[in-house]
Each structure stands twice: as structure tokens, then as C-alpha cells.
Amino acid sequence: MSTDKVLVFGHQNPDTDTICSALVYADLKQQLGMNVEAVRLGEVGAETQYALDEFGVDAPRYVKEVANEVDKVILVDHNERQQSVQDLDKVQVMEVIDHHRIANFETESPLYYRAEPVGCTATILNKLYKEHDVSVKKEMAGLMLSAIISDSLLFKSPTCTKEDIEAANELAKIAEVDLEAYGLEMLKAGADMSDKTVDQLLNMDAKEFTMGSHNVQIAQVNVVDTNDVLDRINEVKAEMEAVLAKKGLSLFLLAVTDILTNDSLAIVVGEQTKAVESAFDVSLNEGQATLKGVVSRKKQIVPPLTNALS
Amino acid sequence: MSTDKVLVFGHQNPDTDTICSALVYADLKQQLGMNVEAVRLGEVGAETQYALDEFGVDAPRYVKEVANEVDKVILVDHNERQQSVQDLDKVQVMEVIDHHRIANFETESPLYYRAEPVGCTATILNKLYKEHDVSVKKEMAGLMLSAIISDSLLFKSPTCTKEDIEAANELAKIAEVDLEAYGLEMLKAGADMSDKTVDQLLNMDAKEFTMGSHNVQIAQVNVVDTNDVLDRINEVKAEMEAVLAKKGLSLFLLAVTDILTNDSLAIVVGEQTKAVESAFDVSLNEGQATLKGVVSRKKQIVPPLTNALS
């Protein structure tokens, strides 16, 4: 390719932070004079669509691969290659803006890498507007606010920091919305699982991790009623077993997170289910256990499970 | 360990940027109220000592390992684990401030990671003082200036960016020195190799890399007279062969960089010397070749060699 265009995208199975952060960072970069376009690697979920509709922004274009279009990319909200575009090794990663651990990421050349241990990529983007002295438009403020509400479950997640809360309050003013009221409506829009297929449930927000010598998939769904999933538990577990076999996973954990109680129901299959018991000090009953107060995959599920499997 | 103390350090075989950036970032963190200490993983070179003496700052304490003292560390000027402290896997990396490619780096938890494609870590640190609204003391300005001069070979290296030059000029004012005059004296202080042992020559600034399936060591020395090395070429190559065998390397490249002409003499041993010929389009003569205009290991040696070996 001989284009100076750069694509900006978040992870596969995009959530609200990934979609909004790609759109917002593309906006900032465009204002700084760069030829960039936000794209997405998967379906836009109902929660994200609610946010896009509220602030009148179109979803990014869907792409399956990027090397056919550009030489250079910017990653937001992820860095691990197995969570990224399938042909990532064929392009140069110019920049990463992220708030996750770093793993399975390697470059040939120096790059701009900005990770901070905050609850949301958008919180970092809000800082970057300030560092570049660019003012934040109303609709971009709305998208960043939506991302923070989504990743922090309205500030309930332990990943949520003081910086996220301050950014959200600041952005709610620019976006001209009532933070609590808008936030709850947005979360509820994404938490109705009754009309989702089992396949959709498992792929809504699924990420694959390498833990020790094991490949582990952790999917998460937010619900207001766990029966949306429990009503179909046999079908759910059968499909999880199928994915497990197909991908050669050691473990597949589905976290069904109740956004009102802030507990998660873990549903697990695979040869390493014992690791779940030791990681969370619970006993599995037919492959299920309630993880009290667990709402964050990144902070409350990945670290203890990585420990248990390493 | 149950201490809140954090150690800050750069890479093994420390150069001026690594030593100065550890001292400077520790200063910034202390001013922000954190309990930190700068340490070093190796000997202080003559160039670095010149800078420390000029600005009246003590060298950091030498450490061989860190997990016996602290739980958490901050890395500056490097991220690849083979360039870091030997027991890095026993501590948590809280932060990284760097300007190199990212490789062989993995964390369990989110962290603050700040890399920028500039010529020197100190250029990023100068920004961080501003972002935290902390003023830069004269001696810290002197150390950052010295680091930039060192890494950019007084702005001659292709790794040097506009930001590095601007930072250096700004810092020279705070440090109250004549940039060009001070810079050349500092570089010369580090470029007299006549009194160094062969072992010192090879370890002064040596880094190990994984390229494709090969382990490669690349050492670099700055000289004002290449005869400082060529007078002892047989002894140098014999010692390189010994290191090669001991470490199981596929290639050992010593770059002897003339800071006045800005060319490098490459001296190579190992089974993969052909990769050097194809990477730089040169013919080796008794394991030697002049690399015209090559002064930067990071930008002009590592990428083409990685390509040739992958």
C-alpha cells in the first residue's frame, strides 16, 4: 500500500469503549491534521447503539482485515494480538492507547504507546485532547462519557478510578446529559439478553487470553435478570463445549454480571475448571458459581485466574 | 516484601540516558509524594560520570536484584526483559517510560506505560514534569540535557526528533550551559577507548535481542579514533567468539561509531554474519564492514537486522 491513511480500531467483539474510543481518537487525530478513519472489527451491540443514537454519531465501518487498505494502524482499548485484527502482523502499529495489561504485543520499531491504569480508554483520550489543546465537541464528549459509564458499570467496577469519575462528570456537562439517568438507561439497553441467541450471548464480549501454557476464553454479559441466561443453561454449556473443542481451549468462562446487584454468575467448561475454584475460592456446582462483588473481567477475573494457571 | 518503596531503573550496561532518566524520574516521583529510589544495573561509564560530575549529582546505587527489597518497580529507557534486572519476573512493573520498540514484555495487570517515538527517554520526562506542573531543577535539567545529547549524538542520530532538539534547548537554558560546547566535551569524555580493556569495550553498551528464532547481541562504542579498537582487533574478535559460544548467540555485532564522521565500523562473528551483509548491503571483509551514516542501533541496525533474520 502507498497511502498515508491510518485506520484506528479497538478489539474484536467490540464494546462501547472500543467503538467510542476509535471514533473519538479518530476525531482528535483528524483535528490534528492526520488522515485517519475509525473502523470496527465486529457487530455494534445494543448498548453502544443506544449511545451512538443518543449523540447522533454513525457507527464506524466494519472491516475484516486492514493490510489491503493501509500500512499503518492505531490500536485503541487493546494490545494483545489475539484480540486484534487477524492480519495485524502485516501492518505497522503506530500508536496504542489502552488501559489493559500488556501481553502478546511486539513491534519492530519504536511507537507511541499510552497506557494508564484507569477504568476506560476514553478517560485517557479526554486527557489527550487537553494535552493537544483541542476542545471536545458535544457528541465526542457524549461518546467518551458513554464509554466510561459502560466500562465502569456506572462507577461500580473496581477498575473505576477517581480520574474516570472526574472525566465523566466533566464530559456529562459538555454532552449536556444527566449522568446517572442517561447512564442507567444506556446500561439497561445493553443488558436485555432475553432476545439474544446463545451464540450472541457468548460472543457479545468475549476475549481470549494466554495464561501460563493455557488458552482461556472469558466472555462477559451484563444482565438485569440472570434468568435470561439460566433459562437456557444446557444450550449455553453445549455451545461453550463446542467452542472449547474448536479453539483448543483449556477453559471457557462465561461471567453473567448482574448490573443491579453487582455480582457475577460464573459458568465454566474445560479441563481447567479447578483453577476457577482455587482462583475465586468457590465450589462449582454443575459448572456454576456466584462470584460475589465481581464485575470486572480485567481486575477481578483475569489476574487471579492467570495466577491459578501459571 | 511489605514496603511501599519503588525502585526506578534503566537497562543493563547503562548508558547516559538510562542513568539520568532513572535519577530524573525518581526526582519527579518524589516531588509527587512517592517513595522511590533510582538504582542502576551496571557500571557508570565515563560519559555518564562526566555529566553527573558537571551537575553535582551522585550516581544511583548499584543493585543486582530487586525482589529482595521491593514489590514494585518502574522501568525507564527499556522494556525487554532480557535487558532488565534478572529477577524482574518476581516484581510488579508499575510503570514504564521508554522510547524503544516493545518486545518480550508482559504484565499481569494494567500499568502506566508511556512510550513515544522520540530520540531519548529524557525528552518524555521533560514533558511529564510539565503535565504534572512540577518545575525542573537546574541539576535535573542538566541530566536530561546530557541524556538527549548522548542518545542523539548531539542531534546527529536519525533517531533525533524535533521534540528532542526543542527539549534540549529548553533544558540547556535551565541548566545554564552552552549546549554545543558542553555536548562535545561530554561525548569526548565517553569516546576515549584507548584505556579500556576488551571486556569493557564489549560490555559498555551491549544489548541482547531476539530476532526471529535467533539470539543476537549488539554492542556499540563511540570513538573519536577507530584505532582504539582496530589496534586490538584479534583480541576483540576472540572475546566476541567466546561470548557467542557462552550465550549461544547466532550473531554478535560490535558497532564502533565514529562520533566525528558519523559512520560505524561493524565487527561481526557468528553463524548469521550473512544476515549483516544482506541487511546493510555490504560485503564483510574479515568480519568487518563500514556502515556509512549508521549511528543508531535502534533505528539503523535493529530493524534491518530483524528483517534479515525473520
Side-chain angles (χ1 to χ4, degrees):
Chain A
M1 291 291 111
S2 60
T3 173
D4 67 344
K5 187 175 170 179
V6 174
L7 295 180
V8 184
F9 51 88
H11 52 76
Q12 292 170 16
N13 304 306
D15 58 9
T16 300
D17 187 21
T18 258
I19 295 285
C20 292
S21 287
L23 288 164
V24 168
Y25 199 45
D27 169 77
L28 174 58
K29 284 291 185 182
Q30 279 157 9
Q31 293 201 56
L32 294 172
M34 204 189 249
N35 181 10
V36 296
E37 183 191 359
V39 293
R40 64 183 161 90
L41 307 182
E43 294 285 303
V44 173
E47 179 194 278
T48 309
Q49 194 58 55
Y50 184 91
L52 292 171
D53 290 346
E54 177 80 15
F55 297 103
V57 179
D58 289 335
R61 174 168 63 93
Y62 170 78
V63 297
K64 203 180 153 110
E65 49 186 21
V66 291
N68 54 334
E69 293 190 49
V70 295
D71 297 320
K72 295 182 178 180
V73 301
I74 294 176
L75 308 185
V76 294
D77 197 33
H78 75 298
N79 67 86
E80 301 194 39
R81 87 172 67 86
Q82 74 281 12
Q83 297 166 9
S84 196
V85 74
Q86 61 185 34
D87 61 347
L88 187 69
D89 58 338
K90 294 188 189 139
V91 292
Q92 184 191 345
V93 178
M94 277 181 75
E95 296 192 22
V96 178
I97 317 289
D98 192 19
H99 67 124
H100 296 90
R101 70 165 190 163
I102 299 178
N104 297 310
F105 181 78
E106 183 159 327
T107 63
E108 204 175 278
S109 303
L111 75 166
Y112 184 90
Y113 197 111
R114 182 75 172 259
E116 301 197 19
V118 292
C120 180
T121 304
T123 300
I124 306 168
L125 296 182
N126 187 44
K127 265 191 187 178
L128 292 181
Y129 274 91
K130 290 177 190 171
E131 288 174 19
H132 290 287
D133 207 19
V134 173
S135 62
V136 176
K137 295 173 214 157
K138 183 181 171 184
E139 66 268 27
M140 292 300 139
L143 296 187
M144 285 191 268
L145 171 65
S146 302
I148 297 171
I149 290 166
S150 172
D151 268 15
S152 72
L153 276 181
L154 249 178
F155 315 141
K156 297 293 192 334
S157 169
T159 59
C160 185
T161 68
K162 198 163 144 271
E163 279 194 61
D164 297 300
I165 298 170
E166 284 169 1
N169 279 295
E170 191 179 301
L171 292 163
K173 281 197 194 105
I174 304 173
E176 296 174 24
V177 295
D178 178 321
L179 199 163
E180 293 284 334
Y182 168 70
L184 199 58
E185 285 313 305
M186 190 200 78
L187 289 179
K188 279 187 182 166
D192 180 3
M193 295 296 137
S194 58
D195 62 345
K196 296 281 185 288
T197 67
V198 167
D199 195 52
Q200 284 173 322
L201 276 180
L202 294 179
N203 286 301
M204 191 154 297
D205 181 10
K207 289 188 183 173
E208 218 180 309
F209 300 87
T210 306
M211 297 180 177
S213 58
H214 301 286
N215 291 322
V216 176
Q217 183 149 318
I218 307 178
Q220 186 170 25
V221 289
N222 292 340
V223 298
V224 284
D225 184 354
T226 50
N227 286 323
D228 286 357
V229 177
L230 289 175
D231 285 349
R232 297 176 280 173
I233 187 66
N234 290 338
E235 201 190 334
V236 166
K237 286 172 85 171
E239 181 59 25
M240 288 173 74
E241 292 280 4
V243 173
L244 189 89
K246 190 177 157 207
K247 293 194 171 181
L249 304 169
S250 301
L251 184 68
F252 188 167
L253 186 156
L254 170 66
V256 182
T257 302
D258 187 319
I259 61 170
L260 302 179
T261 65
N262 298 310
D263 297 329
S264 287
L265 173 70
I267 302 170
V268 298
V269 298
E271 65 180 43
Q272 294 294 328
T273 57
K274 278 252 175 273
V276 176
E277 298 193 311
S278 71
F280 302 101
D281 196 19
V282 294
S283 297
L284 289 167
N285 184 4
E286 295 187 355
Q288 295 176 38
T290 298
L291 311 181
K292 293 294 286 181
V294 169
V295 297
S296 166
R297 172 171 51 197
K298 185 168 68 171
K299 205 141 184 168
Q300 295 172 296
I301 300 178
V302 172
L305 207 49
T306 302
N307 261 339
L309 285 167
S310 295
Chain B
M1 291 291 112
S2 61
T3 171
D4 67 344
K5 187 174 170 179
V6 174
L7 296 180
V8 185
F9 50 88
H11 51 77
Q12 293 170 16
N13 305 305
D15 58 9
T16 300
D17 187 22
T18 257
I19 295 286
C20 292
S21 288
L23 287 165
V24 168
Y25 199 44
D27 169 78
L28 174 58
K29 285 290 187 183
Q30 278 156 11
Q31 293 199 57
L32 294 172
M34 204 190 250
N35 180 13
V36 296
E37 183 191 0
V39 294
R40 63 183 161 91
L41 306 182
E43 294 285 303
V44 173
E47 179 195 278
T48 309
Q49 193 59 56
Y50 184 93
L52 292 171
D53 290 346
E54 177 81 16
F55 297 102
V57 179
D58 289 334
R61 175 168 62 92
Y62 170 78
V63 297
K64 205 182 150 102
E65 49 185 24
V66 292
N68 55 335
E69 294 189 47
V70 295
D71 296 320
K72 294 180 179 180
V73 301
I74 294 175
L75 309 185
V76 293
D77 198 33
H78 76 299
N79 68 84
E80 302 194 41
R81 85 172 69 86
Q82 75 279 12
Q83 297 166 8
S84 195
V85 74
Q86 60 184 37
D87 61 347
L88 188 69
D89 59 337
K90 293 189 189 140
V91 292
Q92 185 191 344
V93 178
M94 275 182 75
E95 296 192 23
V96 178
I97 317 290
D98 192 18
H99 66 122
H100 297 89
R101 70 165 190 165
I102 300 178
N104 297 309
F105 181 79
E106 183 160 329
T107 62
E108 203 174 279
S109 303
L111 74 165
Y112 184 89
Y113 196 110
R114 181 75 172 259
E116 302 197 17
V118 292
C120 180
T121 304
T123 301
I124 306 168
L125 296 181
N126 186 45
K127 265 191 187 176
L128 293 180
Y129 274 91
K130 289 176 190 171
E131 287 174 19
H132 289 289
D133 208 19
V134 173
S135 61
V136 176
K137 296 174 212 157
K138 183 181 171 185
E139 66 268 28
M140 292 301 139
L143 297 186
M144 285 189 267
L145 172 65
S146 302
I148 297 171
I149 291 167
S150 172
D151 268 16
S152 73
L153 275 183
L154 249 177
F155 314 140
K156 298 290 192 334
S157 169
T159 59
C160 184
T161 67
K162 198 165 142 269
E163 280 194 59
D164 297 300
I165 298 171
E166 284 168 2
N169 280 295
E170 192 179 301
L171 292 163
K173 281 197 195 106
I174 304 173
E176 295 174 24
V177 294
D178 178 320
L179 199 165
E180 293 285 334
Y182 168 69
L184 198 59
E185 285 313 306
M186 189 198 80
L187 289 179
K188 280 187 181 168
D192 180 3
M193 294 297 138
S194 59
D195 64 342
K196 296 283 186 289
T197 67
V198 167
D199 195 54
Q200 285 173 322
L201 277 181
L202 295 179
N203 286 299
M204 191 154 297
D205 182 11
K207 288 188 184 172
E208 219 180 309
F209 300 88
T210 307
M211 297 180 177
S213 58
H214 302 287
N215 292 322
V216 176
Q217 182 148 318
I218 307 178
Q220 185 170 24
V221 289
N222 292 342
V223 298
V224 284
D225 184 353
T226 49
N227 286 322
D228 286 358
V229 177
L230 289 175
D231 285 350
R232 297 176 279 173
I233 187 66
N234 291 336
E235 202 190 332
V236 166
K237 285 172 84 170
E239 181 60 25
M240 288 173 73
E241 292 280 6
V243 173
L244 190 90
K246 191 178 155 204
K247 291 194 171 180
L249 304 169
S250 302
L251 184 68
F252 188 166
L253 186 156
L254 169 64
V256 182
T257 302
D258 187 320
I259 62 169
L260 301 179
T261 66
N262 297 311
D263 297 328
S264 288
L265 172 70
I267 301 169
V268 299
V269 298
E271 66 180 41
Q272 294 294 329
T273 56
K274 279 255 174 271
V276 175
E277 297 193 313
S278 70
F280 302 102
D281 196 19
V282 293
S283 296
L284 290 167
N285 182 6
E286 296 190 353
Q288 295 176 38
T290 298
L291 311 181
K292 293 294 285 182
V294 168
V295 297
S296 165
R297 172 169 53 199
K298 184 168 66 171
K299 204 141 184 168
Q300 296 172 296
I301 300 179
V302 172
L305 208 49
T306 302
N307 262 338
L309 285 167
S310 294

